[in-house]
Amino acid sequence: MTAMKERVHVVLAAGGAGSRMGAGQNKIFLEAGGKSILLRSMQLFEGIIDRMVIVCRPEDEQQIRRIVSMSGVSYQVSLARGGESRQHSVLNGLKSLGADPDDIVLVHDAARCLTPVNVILDILESCRSKGSGVAAVPAVNTMKYADSDMYVLHTADRSDLYEIQTPQGFRFAQLYDSYIKAEKDGFVATDDASVAEHAGVRVLLVRGSKKNIKVTEKEDLVMINALLQQDTPSFRIGMGYDVHRLTEGRKLILCGIEIPHTLGLLGHSDADVALHALMDAMFGAAALGDIGRHFPDTSDEYKGISSVLLLKEAIRKVRKAGYEFVNADITIAAQKPRISPYIPEMVRKVSETLSCDTSQVNIKATTTERLGFEGREEGISAQAVCSLLKL
Ligand code: MG
């Protein structure tokens, strides 16, 4: 994974009045599966973004602040005043961001609370590499143009048609300048991509999801509840086991920490047996095969590589497949040296690499009472279990 310096912001459009719902309140306060639509859409971005500005009507501010304070999200959240239209609202949000020109901004409808994480990550990736990314699904219904009396004028060619969703992502400067231009030109649009297109920005569509429903009518809420039921998070468990031989002239690295010893572990990478077991457990829980499939030891790319880098890539793959890391427990079996003094540092290293709390990682060390290859100091083995949550 390359270093990412630019920050990622979300403008969450939460200004809708819910008039079509007949809900008597902003539809984002309606609950699905015991949580408000707003809370769900906020939580979609946890662990992915640096900052969110929620654009809303003044009369909704108090309730939104309450939801924000209970949300538990780790990114920064602020509120901005909505305008008379979505377009004005988003512009207000952009103005209040204080973002750098190269930062990435994703505009998202608060009423879309089931956007799959992989769609958000794909859009971010597209923004980084191509400058824009807009969620879209191929049109499945035949589309026709009709006059005001409902007589068909002509039929559109469906093969080139896409239904557009959010998030819609751009570099900040490009989107901001587009919005300013639209305002100056009096150009009115229903989405951010149209505003960018009007300013001549090349907009790239990224595969969205049919689950990415926007709550606009009562039926949508029924659909969302049904999808939530079907998508009840499921726990997944994986296990991993690895052995490396001890030899002279190599460093002993366990869980990313170098431990002073006369012997080190032999292997294609840095031979960090404990992290290898952990990665196998993670891949196992996500049904993604094993470490050999993702980082083949025949590849020069991985020769001598730090297993911490491999772990970083492994967790990215696991998250991309739609899993959230829950916890891991690792046992290292070594006769010598004494490993326990290094365990707190190992826990810190692993949790930092996984971007999780230290309470989610446990590491233990044991001898084998001088029995077996570990006991004879011929090698070190490690076992790990890992649990993930399918989101
Ligand atoms: Mg190994």
Side-chain angles (χ1 to χ4, degrees), residues 104 122-132 171 204:
I104 290 169
D122 286 349
I123 286 170
L124 264 182
E125 179 57 37
S126 177
C127 289
R128 288 200 173 102
S129 57
K130 305 272 167 48
S132 67
R171 295 279 177 191
L204 186 63

Side-chain angles (χ1 to χ4, degrees), residues 241-244 266-269 271-277 280 291 307:
Y241 173 70
D242 196 24
V243 174
H244 280 262
L266 187 64
H268 184 71
S269 64
D272 189 331
V273 67
L275 290 190
H276 293 184
D280 263 349
I291 186 173
S307 296

Side-chain angles (χ1 to χ4, degrees), residues 15-28 30 57 215-218:
S19 51
R20 266 184 287 181
M21 298 281 296
Q25 63 170 346
N26 192 331
K27 64 203 169 191
I28 61 168
L30 296 171
R57 300 178 306 170
V215 183
T216 44
E217 293 169 29
K218 278 228 169 77

Side-chain angles (χ1 to χ4, degrees), residues 16 21 46 62 65-66 82 92 96 106 136 143 160 183 201 205 218 235-236 255 266 279 303 318 332 337 349 385 390:
M21 298 281 296
E46 175 59 16
Q62 209 184 351
R65 282 188 204 284
R66 214 168 23 239
N92 286 351
S96 79
L106 307 179
M143 304 279 188
D160 296 332
E183 193 182 41
V201 175
L205 300 183
K218 278 228 169 77
F235 269 104
R236 310 268 307 196
C255 289
L266 187 64
M279 283 185 262
K303 198 167 155 46
V318 164
I332 302 166
K349 187 76 173 179
V385 289
K390 174 80 173 167

Side-chain angles (χ1 to χ4, degrees), residues 286-318:
L288 286 174
D290 65 7
I291 186 173
R293 180 171 126 196
H294 296 276
F295 314 118
D297 63 8
T298 46
S299 161
D300 274 353
E301 196 184 336
Y302 303 118
K303 198 167 155 46
I305 194 172
S306 161
S307 296
V308 170
L309 295 179
L310 299 182
L311 181 61
K312 218 173 231 181
E313 182 61 13
I315 188 69
R316 193 192 64 78
K317 288 178 184 229
V318 164

